Amino acid sequence: MSKDISKYSLTVNIKRDDGKALVYYKQDGERFESNCTIKMNVETTYTFLLNFRPPLKIKSGSLKNSGLEVKEEGFTPEASSYSLLWTSNDVVVSKNKGRDHFTLSLTVQDLGILEIPLQLKFYSANDKSHSVWGNELHHIEYDCIFKKDLFSFSIEKEMFR
């Protein structure tokens, strides 16, 4: 690998903040921009847990153009981890067969912005049926590359687990 390219592994866990309840996803195949859709409820707070290997220093984050509080959970020579809280108060229930596309933007110290595209479907706040159909989302793994000459990140691989 060129010295002008650095590889990073990012793991994203998403949990409801009400007792750390699980979030679900469904595989959509080729019908939409992404093969997988994350299921969420409106008017609900979520915790995004991020783990980088090797470590990156995150200065700020935003989702749907709303600033997120970034809390460093750990930083070692091998990895760094952060938590971010986001509340879906300004989101409406998704239309039938519709998907929403938000970008989780992370400002990485000295490197620039890492943008993570998310395909989401929102259900009413009290929905406990459709929003929990599908697979439990344990985490999403991303293989990221930083290109020093372009001063930019790209996502090479995305895996839902």
Side-chain angles (χ1 to χ4, degrees):
M1 171 144 313
S2 165
K3 64 180 180 169
D4 293 330
I5 296 176
S6 300
K7 284 189 170 186
Y8 295 93
S9 171
L10 167 62
T11 303
V12 178
N13 293 286
I14 306 170
K15 303 283 187 215
R16 289 173 56 112
D17 204 45
D18 54 354
K20 305 295 185 221
L22 291 172
V23 171
Y24 291 80
Y25 75 97
K26 68 176 288 197
Q27 294 185 352
D28 285 320
E30 302 292 323
R31 297 184 305 152
F32 301 100
E33 287 179 34
S34 177
N35 289 334
C36 293
T37 299
I38 301 166
K39 297 180 163 202
M40 294 183 151
N41 298 90
V42 297
E43 301 172 16
T44 304
T45 300
Y46 291 91
T47 301
F48 288 74
L49 300 168
L50 313 176
N51 187 15
F52 291 95
R53 290 183 180 274
L56 289 174
K57 182 75 172 168
I58 304 302
K59 290 174 38 178
S60 64
S62 68
L63 182 64
K64 196 179 179 264
N65 297 319
S66 296
L68 303 174
E69 179 183 343
V70 176
K71 180 180 176 190
E72 185 178 293
E73 299 289 342
F75 199 96
T76 69
E78 294 81 33
S80 60
S81 57
Y82 299 87
S83 63
L84 301 89
L85 282 179
W86 178 68
T87 303
S88 58
N89 287 343
D90 62 343
V91 178
V92 297
V93 172
S94 301
K95 292 182 180 178
N96 189 23
K97 298 183 181 171
R99 300 294 184 267
D100 295 291
H101 297 92
F102 295 170
T103 300
L104 175 60
S105 296
L106 303 169
T107 303
V108 181
Q109 183 173 307
D110 300 325
L111 297 182
I113 305 222
L114 171 58
E115 293 187 331
I116 301 159
L118 300 173
Q119 181 168 283
L120 310 166
K121 182 161 180 99
F122 289 93
Y123 298 90
S124 68
N126 55 6
D127 180 287
K128 300 294 184 234
S129 59
H130 291 91
S131 64
V132 296
W133 287 350
N135 304 302
E136 293 178 358
L137 178 59
H138 297 286
H139 61 267
I140 310 167
E141 297 171 359
Y142 295 96
D143 290 340
C144 307
I145 291 179
F146 178 74
K147 297 177 184 169
K148 293 179 181 142
D149 57 339
L150 300 175
F151 209 66
S152 69
F153 283 95
S154 63
I155 295 175
E156 300 295 308
K157 183 179 170 188
E158 173 188 68
M159 180 68 67
F160 280 70
R161 299 202 187 270

